[in-house]
Amino acid sequence: MNPKNVAPGIGICAALALPCWFLGEALPVVGAPVFAILLGMAVALAWKQPTRGAVQDGIAFTAKKVLQYAVILLGFGLNLAQIAAVGAESLPIICSTIATALIVGYILYKVLRMDSAIATLIAVGSSICGGSAIAATAPVIRAKDEQVAQAISVIFLFNVAAALVFPTLGGMLGMSNEGFGLFAGTAVNDTSSVTAAAAAWDGMHPGANALDDATIVKLTRTLAIIPITLALGILMAHKDNAELAAQATAAGAPIVREGLLGNFSLKRAFPTFILFFLLASVATTVAVALGADIAVFAPLKTASKFFICMAMAAIGLNTDIVKLVKSGGKPILMGAICWICIAAVSLGMQHILNLW
């Protein structure tokens, strides 16, 4: 990779991301990544790919590699010790909601005959942490930019709905401050919308501190990125092996298998950037345990969010918004059903465990 080839495209993505960053700060219920992907798609209407010339390499680099760097930096915001101490109580609910979203997503993928990549991204985004989970999953399943844009758009729609509806719903159900923090942390997709919903609750209930509880629960959910991406990596490796075997059979060549897992390689299946994400989390945890203030990692978290914003702008530039709108019915239906099921399971599990 020649830096001179990618620098112009990266610069364009950064320029598009900058105003979106400030818009996201002003309207956290929407978030900078959504503004960035919308702006990128708007620019793409007038600036078609064939006319972009040398900048296209940089746009493609931002959509793939910069997105992975963003996920790595995200790890510096995770103190595993704090999550273990505070998030343990929420673990049964987190596992239940994640399992629900993945199972419902798989059923809907079959019933609605959806594109597998879009279905996977929506299910993972709904169950774990919205845009960050989609960012981590997309490279593993080799999703196209238009598929990522479709999933992000669906997640955004229900993020906004949750942030607006859930505080009122929680009040109607008579939830405690701690109960609503747990509900927001497990049933709202994206971190920015979790924050918006919990902050709205705190504003409606003076003295409440649901925001802190919701944030810790949300960070605990984020760790699910690791096993989910590993599992998807293994599935993709098996799929590749099956395709190679089919090609060998068609060509009359012998099929070479090594053990029960065939030619499976954990090194190939496990996304390297997820390993670095985990190492970043461990580094944060060790540093805090040795007396460092977790605030020193704040610039890295900010850089992570801005990188995601840049990557979303790049994905928007590579997306045909007309095609996206025409094919949006099934993904929106899937997102709605996953969203409703996750909320119902979160409330039901709290009731069963007497955490309401």
Side-chain angles (χ1 to χ4, degrees), residues 157-199:
L157 177 63
F158 296 104
N159 278 343
V160 173
L164 296 176
V165 171
F166 280 6
T168 301
L169 176 63
M172 293 171 60
L173 293 174
M175 300 186 76
S176 66
N177 295 325
E178 294 77 11
F180 184 80
L182 186 54
F183 178 50
T186 53
V188 184
N189 300 334
D190 199 75
T191 303
S192 59
S193 296
V194 170
T195 301

Side-chain angles (χ1 to χ4, degrees), residues 150 320-329 332:
Q150 186 88 71
D320 184 341
I321 191 172
V322 176
K323 182 179 177 182
L324 191 69
V325 171
K326 287 181 178 178
S327 61
I332 290 174

Side-chain angles (χ1 to χ4, degrees), residues 75-93:
F76 286 106
L78 297 176
N79 180 352
L80 301 180
Q82 184 184 27
I83 289 172
V86 182
E89 185 181 57
S90 64
L91 201 56
I93 301 176

Side-chain angles (χ1 to χ4, degrees), residues 1-320:
M1 180 195 67
N2 188 336
K4 292 183 179 179
N5 293 338
V6 299
I10 294 173
I12 288 171
C13 294
L16 291 176
L18 194 59
C20 297
W21 175 264
F22 291 110
L23 282 171
E25 292 289 306
L27 293 170
V29 70
V30 177
V34 173
F35 283 121
I37 204 167
L38 291 175
L39 179 58
M41 288 190 289
V43 172
L45 284 173
W47 192 24
K48 301 298 182 182
Q49 283 197 28
T51 64
R52 295 178 194 171
V55 301
Q56 185 57 39
D57 287 344
I59 293 172
F61 179 86
T62 305
K64 303 298 181 185
K65 292 297 183 181
V66 172
L67 191 57
Q68 294 181 19
Y69 300 152
V71 174
I72 294 170
L73 293 176
L74 186 67
F76 286 106
L78 297 176
N79 180 352
L80 301 180
Q82 184 184 27
I83 289 172
V86 182
E89 185 181 57
S90 64
L91 201 56
I93 301 176
I94 291 173
C95 293
S96 299
T97 53
I98 290 175
T100 297
L102 296 179
I103 292 169
V104 170
Y106 180 76
I107 293 172
L108 292 175
Y109 155 67
K110 290 291 188 180
V111 172
L112 300 177
R113 298 180 181 179
M114 290 181 59
D115 176 271
S116 62
I118 292 176
T120 300
L121 292 175
I122 292 174
V124 172
S126 298
S127 63
I128 302 176
C129 54
S132 298
I134 291 173
T137 304
V140 178
I141 64 173
R142 300 190 283 274
K144 298 176 182 177
D145 286 348
E146 287 187 351
Q147 294 167 331
V148 175
Q150 186 88 71
I152 288 285
S153 301
V154 170
I155 294 299
F156 155 69
L157 177 63
F158 296 104
N159 278 343
V160 173
L164 296 176
V165 171
F166 280 6
T168 301
L169 176 63
M172 293 171 60
L173 293 174
M175 300 186 76
S176 66
N177 295 325
E178 294 77 11
F180 184 80
L182 186 54
F183 178 50
T186 53
V188 184
N189 300 334
D190 199 75
T191 303
S192 59
S193 296
V194 170
T195 301
W201 174 272
D202 287 350
M204 294 165 59
H205 301 82
N209 195 25
L211 181 57
D212 286 353
D213 292 336
T215 301
I216 293 297
V217 173
K218 187 65 178 64
L219 291 178
T220 307
R221 272 174 75 191
T222 301
L223 289 178
I225 286 176
I226 297 169
I228 292 295
T229 50
L230 175 57
L232 289 172
I234 291 172
L235 288 174
M236 291 300 294
H238 278 296
K239 181 180 178 181
D240 292 343
N241 281 341
E243 290 176 354
L244 289 173
Q247 292 171 8
T249 300
I255 301 173
V256 178
R257 298 189 183 276
E258 299 175 2
L260 294 175
L261 294 178
N263 298 323
F264 171 73
S265 167
L266 180 61
K267 183 178 180 181
R268 290 199 309 269
F270 190 74
T272 305
F273 70 96
I274 293 297
L275 174 61
F276 286 121
F277 163 82
L278 180 59
L279 292 175
S281 303
V282 172
T284 301
T285 304
V286 172
V288 171
L290 293 175
D293 187 345
I294 196 169
V296 302
F297 296 103
L300 296 176
K301 282 187 64 179
T302 301
S304 170
K305 294 176 181 178
F306 188 74
F307 281 2
I308 288 177
C309 195
M310 286 177 58
M312 292 303 110
I315 287 169
L317 287 170
N318 288 334
T319 300
D320 184 341

